[in-house]
Amino acid sequence: MPAEELIIYFISSGKIKVAEKDIIKNGIFEQGHLVAETGQYLFEQEYRKNMLPQMQNKTNIVEFNISRIHKELYDFEQMISIINNKQFTIELNECLEVYEQEKYFVAAAGLGSVLEHLLYLSIEKHTPTDFIKTHENSTASEYIAQLKKEPFNINKRDATALKGYFNYRNSVSHFNKGYFSKNMCDQILNGIKICFDRYYLHKC
């Protein structure tokens, strides 16, 4: 639609409040002039239709499954399939469920146990039985000590990284701010993915 017809439509429909007889009198710079009123109307339309929806909380617009997102982001579906351990699957899925519910203290504690379980399964998978010094109830320090030996031979940096993941678990408390606790859980989730790639899928 040509600009002239559009302006005539705005005036005749009452969308902009400018009397035809006042267009010349108000001129370009006076309050209520044609350009200002047209611009104001167009801005309000843009704000309502485009800007305002973008500023709304996305969780109010789109429903999504956090557990599914994390499974895809960290390839947990593939991890679960490869490990094929019922107990491990249950533990990880339960942790993702409480994470979704923003119960980060519970999620962090559970994810720490999932990480320990993963290390145990990795050691069991790659280490000859006679050389395994750990068991299902071993501590994080004991798992790390075992990984320093054959066939993993992790270095000091790897050991420090593992200790860091467990420290994140211990750092989450009921009194932490939500974002802080969520970030800690995300770090543990990332650690689980890294440990799966490095240790469970370890190539001797």
Side-chain angles (χ1 to χ4, degrees), residues 22-37:
D22 294 330
I23 291 177
I24 301 299
K25 183 181 68 175
N26 287 344
I28 299 297
F29 300 107
E30 295 293 329
Q31 182 178 6
H33 67 73
L34 182 62
V35 175
E37 289 295 324

Side-chain angles (χ1 to χ4, degrees), residues 182-200:
K182 177 184 179 301
N183 181 260
M184 293 294 180
C185 289
D186 289 341
Q187 295 292 340
I188 305 172
L189 286 169
N190 188 54
I192 291 172
K193 168 60 177 171
I194 291 173
C195 289
F196 172 73
D197 291 340
R198 289 185 179 176
Y199 308 128
Y200 193 85

Side-chain angles (χ1 to χ4, degrees), residues 15 39-50:
K15 295 184 183 301
Q40 178 66 23
Y41 171 74
L42 293 175
F43 173 79
E44 291 174 356
Q45 291 296 303
E46 174 70 13
Y47 178 80
R48 283 196 296 269
K49 292 182 179 180
N50 296 315

Side-chain angles (χ1 to χ4, degrees), residues 5-20 34 37-38 40-42 44-45 48:
E5 294 181 17
L6 185 62
I7 291 174
I8 291 172
Y9 167 74
F10 285 162
I11 295 174
S12 62
S13 62
K15 295 184 183 301
I16 59 175
K17 297 176 175 56
V18 176
E20 295 181 20
L34 182 62
E37 289 295 324
T38 302
Q40 178 66 23
Y41 171 74
L42 293 175
E44 291 174 356
Q45 291 296 303
R48 283 196 296 269

Side-chain angles (χ1 to χ4, degrees), residues 13-171:
S13 62
K15 295 184 183 301
I16 59 175
K17 297 176 175 56
V18 176
E20 295 181 20
K21 63 183 179 62
D22 294 330
I23 291 177
I24 301 299
K25 183 181 68 175
N26 287 344
I28 299 297
F29 300 107
E30 295 293 329
Q31 182 178 6
H33 67 73
L34 182 62
V35 175
E37 289 295 324
T38 302
Q40 178 66 23
Y41 171 74
L42 293 175
F43 173 79
E44 291 174 356
Q45 291 296 303
E46 174 70 13
Y47 178 80
R48 283 196 296 269
K49 292 182 179 180
N50 296 315
M51 296 172 66
L52 188 58
Q54 293 183 45
M55 291 188 290
Q56 292 178 349
N57 188 332
K58 297 301 181 184
T59 58
N60 294 331
I61 301 174
V62 180
E63 292 184 1
F64 55 89
N65 189 313
I66 298 295
S67 295
R68 174 63 57 185
I69 289 174
H70 278 82
K71 285 182 180 179
E72 294 178 356
L73 178 63
Y74 296 106
D75 293 326
F76 285 154
E77 291 285 10
Q78 181 187 38
M79 181 190 303
I80 287 171
S81 176
I82 292 175
I83 293 177
N84 193 28
N85 180 285
K86 184 177 180 180
Q87 185 60 35
F88 179 84
T89 300
I90 292 172
E91 291 172 359
L92 179 56
N93 283 333
E94 287 183 350
C95 288
L96 293 176
E97 288 177 9
V98 294
Y99 176 99
E100 181 179 354
Q101 298 167 14
E102 300 183 1
K103 297 177 180 179
Y104 299 122
F105 177 78
V106 178
L111 289 172
S113 295
V114 169
L115 181 54
E116 289 178 344
H117 194 174
L118 176 58
L119 295 180
Y120 168 78
L121 293 172
S122 300
I123 293 168
E124 182 183 52
K125 183 173 187 287
H126 296 289
T127 306
T129 304
D130 292 342
F131 294 93
I132 296 178
K133 303 299 181 182
T134 56
H135 49 80
E136 290 184 346
N137 297 318
S138 291
T139 64
S141 296
E142 290 171 333
Y143 287 126
I144 293 172
Q146 177 77 61
L147 290 171
K148 290 179 179 180
K149 302 174 182 179
E150 294 284 351
F152 302 100
N153 294 315
I154 66 172
N155 56 36
K156 185 176 180 180
R157 177 177 296 180
D158 293 332
T160 299
L162 284 170
K163 292 176 183 177
Y165 300 138
F166 289 110
N167 285 336
Y168 284 128
R169 172 187 63 180
N170 300 331
S171 296

